Amino acid sequence: MPGPDGGMTQGICPMPKTTADAGALSAVKTQMCNYPMSMGMQHWYRAFATLPGSTMNYVQIELYDKLGAFAAGTVQTGTFPVDTNPATCGVCVRGLGDKGATDAKEYFATTGTVTVTSIGGNGGTLTATLSNIGFVELDSNRHPVSGGCTATLAAGQISGMIMQVGGTGGGGGGGGGGGMCAQTIGE
């Protein structure tokens, strides 16, 4: 957007530039999702929470069987670096600033670690601690924006009860509604 001197100015960055220790965050939603066509044999997990000080800024973790740190098998406990490619990450941390507003922006972590201390199935608990997370802004195609917004999260822990979405596979027949996990943040 043009600035007062005729040059370009950076748009609004809705997430705080720096967030200190966010403490223990209760997940708004925690899900175990089925990979398409896996018949319930391969999963990915997502949990998201609201960041302190706002009702519209979210942080979300996603953990994928057979990708990144979990390439050899299923999601497990341990400490893992975040994966830096939003298209192929196995340990993903995403952010969303000003959800639902016209200036909403998606962020993706390119630095930091995730420590998974608890992971289970339906009705179990997913607990993960985020450390030294560095975010970059993503465009609508989920590519980093050159010179875009950045944010950091020093620490935080997300915990919630897992709800399995999509059943356990098997069976045939038509598809039904409500069986898919959202691919967006904070949904």
Side-chain angles (χ1 to χ4, degrees):
M1 111 168 81
D5 61 359
M8 298 301 284
T9 60
Q10 183 173 339
I12 297 171
C13 294
M15 280 185 64
K17 183 86 172 152
T18 306
T19 301
D21 189 339
L25 304 171
S26 293
V28 174
K29 193 179 283 186
T30 307
Q31 297 173 317
M32 180 174 74
C33 311
N34 289 334
Y35 270 80
M37 310 302 284
S38 76
M39 301 296 288
M41 299 303 292
Q42 192 172 347
H43 302 99
W44 63 283
Y45 296 82
R46 68 189 288 264
F48 65 89
T50 307
L51 287 171
S54 171
T55 59
M56 296 171 55
N57 293 333
Y58 292 87
V59 63
Q60 176 169 297
I61 58 169
E62 298 168 10
L63 307 168
Y64 292 86
D65 287 354
K66 301 194 186 276
L67 287 175
F70 310 114
T74 60
V75 173
Q76 58 191 319
T77 59
T79 299
F80 311 98
V82 298
D83 287 321
T84 59
N85 185 333
T88 60
C89 59
V91 179
C92 317
V93 181
R94 302 182 193 276
L96 183 64
D98 277 357
K99 178 178 171 50
T102 57
D103 66 343
K105 293 193 186 311
E106 182 176 348
Y107 294 77
F108 183 76
T110 57
T111 61
T113 59
V114 175
T115 301
V116 180
T117 54
S118 175
I119 190 78
N122 191 41
T125 302
L126 185 151
T127 303
T129 301
L130 310 174
S131 301
N132 301 312
I133 302 297
F135 290 103
V136 297
E137 178 185 348
L138 296 181
D139 65 19
S140 60
N141 293 315
R142 289 198 162 161
H143 296 113
V145 174
S146 178
C149 297
T150 60
T152 61
L153 172 62
Q157 182 185 70
I158 300 175
S159 186
M161 184 186 305
I162 299 167
M163 181 177 85
Q164 186 167 2
V165 177
T168 57
M180 297 290 293
C181 289
Q183 296 290 316
T184 55
I185 302 166
E187 297 292 330

